[in-house]
Amino acid sequence: MKKLATVLIAVVLLPLSAAERKRAKRVAKPRQSQVLAVTGSSAELATALKMAKTGQYADASKMLFQLSYSPRYRDRRMQLKYILGMMLHQLKLNQVAAFQFIGVIKDGNNRY
């Protein structure tokens, strides 16, 4: 079980491929669908928190990890990392959870 969880976290933490990096670097004018996605972005956070509350820790941790690096959630990054650390702790991935908590502590300017 620990090996499976470790592999799962490793897959989530893998860096982007070259094609994905190029796509991320492109700067384009926002389309109407992109504008709607930005306004509906709180739905992603609500979904991740709902999964965390219902005990779906693995799926919630994947979403929280992605959201914590999203520029849309820059102001809530430390809160997302703290909740991510709690999810990883529930999965008994204590060292990975500690890494998230240390990131929150190093920032210093937060209430978590």
Side-chain angles (χ1 to χ4, degrees):
M1 184 66 182
K2 282 189 176 183
K3 288 182 182 179
L4 177 62
T6 305
V7 170
L8 176 67
I9 295 299
V11 170
V12 171
L13 298 177
L14 284 176
L16 297 174
S17 68
E20 290 173 329
R21 275 187 256 138
K22 284 182 182 178
R23 227 179 292 133
K25 287 183 181 179
R26 290 184 196 155
V27 177
K29 295 179 183 177
R31 297 180 188 161
Q32 183 65 22
S33 61
Q34 291 172 335
V35 172
L36 291 175
V38 170
T39 58
S41 66
S42 62
E44 294 171 330
L45 179 58
T47 303
L49 294 176
K50 183 179 177 183
M51 283 194 289
K53 288 178 184 177
T54 59
Q56 299 173 2
Y57 301 127
D59 294 330
S61 64
K62 285 183 207 175
M63 286 189 74
L64 289 167
F65 180 79
Q66 291 172 348
L67 293 175
S68 70
Y69 285 98
S70 172
R72 289 181 283 192
Y73 295 102
R74 189 174 300 143
D75 56 333
R76 299 183 81 176
R77 182 166 288 153
M78 291 303 117
Q79 179 184 15
L80 291 170
K81 283 188 165 218
Y82 177 78
I83 297 169
L84 174 59
M86 295 300 291
M87 295 302 100
L88 294 170
H89 179 70
Q90 291 294 324
L91 290 169
K92 306 292 185 208
L93 297 170
N94 296 328
Q95 188 171 4
V96 181
F99 182 74
Q100 296 300 320
F101 293 135
I102 289 169
V104 172
I105 292 168
K106 278 186 178 178
D107 186 64
N109 297 328
N110 57 60
R111 59 184 179 178
Y112 301 101

